[in-house]
Amino acid sequence: MSEESPLSALMAVMSPRDGADDRVDWAAAREEWGVSFPSDYIAFMAAYGSGGIDDAFSVLAPALAEDSPWNAEYDGMGAETRNLRFTWRRERPPEGVAADPDRLIAWGVSCGADILGWVTDDGDPDAWPVVVWERHGSPTWKVYDMGMAEFLRRVFRRGFPECPLSDLSLWGEPAPHFVHWRVERQRWESGFNPYTGKPDPYFGMTFD
């Protein structure tokens, strides 16, 4: 019997029903970033795409879509990677990790202003560890020898000695809800909370 993939294990915990294939041009992403991306992340982008988890965590795509309401200077993987690299230079990196700041790429942010990324020193993207800058943590830097899909699954299942994020919203969450950003926008503009499906008092607000 073949071993369950990290993404399959994650999908057993968090349904991709409100996800959408972002149809990422991976050749263009490789040219822009200078690296290939991990297989679990590529599979995540096909099953879920970029979006939010319970309005507490955002997973980033390699580039903002043309119809994205956000500004690449301040939002998305590019902006958060700049923030992650700047912080790596400013603060002492975790013990035993001597990666150049330019070898870090961000893939997620939390509502607690944590930034999550990869240390891309290894030539095999599937061997990249997850690095977390936990804004309110002590120490602030943590490195986990696993991919992003397994990292998320462990957060939902309390699979670490302590929560690796500043905010506890997703720690041990039995039924995390992922919503693709386009679905989220459509629901907000229709007057519904994207995560609960209930009417929202801020009906009519848009992302423009």
Side-chain angles (χ1 to χ4, degrees):
M1 181 179 295
S2 61
E3 184 178 352
E4 185 179 33
S5 73
L7 186 74
S8 295
L10 177 62
M11 291 172 69
V13 177
M14 181 174 71
S15 170
R17 67 179 179 276
D18 287 328
D21 185 353
D22 269 340
R23 301 185 182 279
V24 175
D25 183 338
W26 293 107
R30 176 183 174 83
E31 182 174 352
E32 178 180 355
W33 289 96
V35 293
S36 296
F37 283 82
S39 59
D40 66 332
Y41 175 72
I42 291 173
F44 187 100
M45 284 293 114
Y48 296 91
S50 54
I53 304 173
D54 288 340
D55 207 19
F57 191 90
S58 296
V59 178
L60 311 171
L64 294 177
E66 290 184 2
D67 60 335
S68 170
W70 297 290
N71 186 320
E73 184 177 352
Y74 305 105
D75 306 294
M77 183 176 281
E80 294 300 344
T81 294
R82 289 192 294 273
N83 291 336
L84 189 65
R85 292 173 178 177
F86 172 81
T87 307
W88 188 268
R89 291 186 179 96
R90 185 186 63 186
E91 299 182 5
R92 180 179 298 176
E95 186 176 351
V97 182
D100 185 277
D102 290 339
R103 302 301 297 174
L104 272 60
I105 297 176
W107 60 263
V109 291
S110 79
C111 64
D114 308 318
I115 309 175
L116 293 83
W118 299 286
V119 179
T120 70
D121 275 346
D122 198 296
D124 177 7
D126 288 341
W128 292 350
V130 167
V131 61
V132 178
W133 179 68
E134 186 185 356
R135 183 180 181 88
H136 302 293
S138 181
T140 53
W141 289 108
K142 298 177 178 66
V143 178
Y144 299 89
D145 190 17
M146 63 190 67
M148 58 86 71
E150 176 62 13
F151 176 88
L152 289 175
R153 188 191 70 82
R154 291 200 190 189
V155 169
F156 303 146
R157 287 295 181 259
R158 291 180 178 262
F160 298 106
E162 59 183 19
C163 183
L165 304 176
S166 295
D167 182 83
L168 299 177
S169 299
L170 299 177
W171 182 237
E173 171 56 51
H177 188 181
F178 180 91
V179 179
H180 189 274
W181 69 265
R182 287 193 181 92
V183 175
E184 182 180 31
R185 181 172 65 173
Q186 182 182 39
R187 289 178 179 172
W188 275 125
E189 293 176 353
S190 298
F192 293 91
N193 184 297
Y195 297 94
T196 67
K198 297 178 180 179
D200 191 272
Y202 298 103
F203 173 73
M205 292 183 65
T206 70
F207 283 63
D208 296 334

